[in-house]
Amino acid sequence: MTKELSRTSALASRHTALGSGLEDWNGMGTAWTYNTNPNDEHDAVRERAGMFDMSPLKKVMVSGRDAQAVLDHLTTRDMSRVAQGEAVYLSVLTDAGTMADDAIVYNNGDDEWMIVHGSGDTMALLDASAAGKSVSVQFTDELHDLSVQGPGSLQILNAHCEAELGDLAYFQHRATTLFGHPCHISRTGYSGERGYEIFADATVIGDIWDKLVDAGVMPCSFTALDKVRIEAGLLFYGYDMTTDHTPYEVGLGFTVSKSKTGFRGRGALAAA
């Protein structure tokens, strides 16, 4: 019996046209394969530029007076060190100090943050951390995530972007327009190459995709994503790490701010 999908990418028709059966990941139809060879997709990322629809990741806006404090309780990083326009990769822990998820948190300024996570328990734990606080927690699928990765990504995007991306450091992000469409561009990715993630509304992401294809960016499947992220030593929650592991057991000790206290699972992690 086919699992009913609870989420839909605005790029679904592009994926099926390329041969995807839209297999489930994180409740969304995901392009695990195309008609193209995943080895060719891999080479496009390594040699020029490829793109992945990362919209199955869950995007959650956290805003309000207590937003930073809520994220400090939820995650292993010190949020006071993440300036506006910066982002940080981190761990979300269970009460037992083990991995509930990994995620990236973006500081958008004016007490607004975005956390992007995969298939772990981040949302439930975030709601628990937010209980009784002056904070708004809003999950959104209107915001899509298109990841353009490869050594040619900067040149291709810069040619069509209002903002200059060359001075955007690793894990920095900014609001701009791409092909005339408002978006947020982050210098992040999951490939081991220089790359950028484009966060844009469902109403415009299709046009951005089409124009990137016209610019020579190759659509890439999650099979190719597995190839490039394994080469880069990047972990996939649910496969390479689970609630059986502490961050230190899977090489993510660097995501734990050493002097930080008060986050979920901290005592159990310290004991472990």
Side-chain angles (χ1 to χ4, degrees), residues 12-236:
S13 63
R14 271 90 171 166
H15 299 320
T16 56
L18 292 168
S20 171
L22 294 179
E23 298 81 6
D24 173 56
W25 183 63
N26 221 8
M28 181 176 283
T30 303
W32 281 100
T33 58
Y34 288 138
N35 290 332
T36 46
N37 190 320
N39 294 321
D40 294 335
E41 298 164 20
H42 161 280
D43 292 348
V45 172
R46 290 286 179 249
E47 296 168 6
R48 188 164 188 262
M51 62 180 172
F52 306 89
D53 180 10
M54 300 304 298
S55 302
L57 292 170
K58 294 182 177 179
K59 289 78 59 185
V60 187
M61 309 307 295
V62 185
S63 58
R65 186 183 63 213
D66 293 336
Q68 180 176 316
V70 167
L71 290 169
D72 260 324
H73 181 258
L74 175 73
T75 73
T76 55
R77 293 274 199 177
D78 183 352
M79 292 294 105
S80 70
R81 302 185 66 178
V82 184
Q84 180 177 345
E86 293 181 348
V88 66
Y89 175 70
L90 42 73
S91 300
V92 176
L93 303 184
T94 66
D95 289 329
T98 60
M99 295 295 299
D101 211 346
D102 63 341
I104 296 179
V105 169
Y106 300 77
N107 184 349
N108 293 337
D110 296 325
D111 291 329
E112 180 184 277
W113 303 70
M114 178 173 71
I115 183 166
V116 178
H117 70 96
S119 57
D121 290 334
T122 289
M123 193 65 196
L125 295 172
L126 174 57
D127 283 339
S129 293
K133 303 293 185 181
S134 179
V135 64
S136 169
V137 176
Q138 296 289 331
F139 164 76
T140 176
D141 260 345
E142 291 304 306
L143 189 66
H144 279 50
D145 179 1
L146 184 56
S147 184
V148 180
Q149 301 290 306
S153 59
L154 174 60
Q155 180 181 5
I156 292 168
L157 291 175
N158 246 356
H160 305 285
C161 187
E162 179 187 46
E164 167 60 46
L165 300 179
D167 62 351
L168 203 62
Y170 196 37
F171 276 83
Q172 288 185 342
H173 56 97
R174 64 172 50 126
T176 184
T177 62
L178 182 65
F179 299 110
H181 299 302
C183 64
H184 220 93
I185 295 182
S186 168
R187 189 178 163 190
T188 47
Y190 194 46
S191 68
E193 296 287 346
R194 183 174 188 139
Y196 300 85
E197 289 183 86
I198 303 159
F199 294 94
D201 191 83
T203 58
V204 302
I205 200 68
D207 190 59
I208 291 174
W209 172 282
D210 294 341
K211 285 183 167 59
L212 286 171
V213 170
D214 291 342
V217 181
M218 185 175 190
C220 296
S221 65
F222 268 45
T223 298
L225 184 65
D226 249 353
K227 289 176 176 290
V228 294
R229 67 98 183 167
I230 288 171
E231 282 184 336
L234 302 172
L235 305 182
F236 190 0

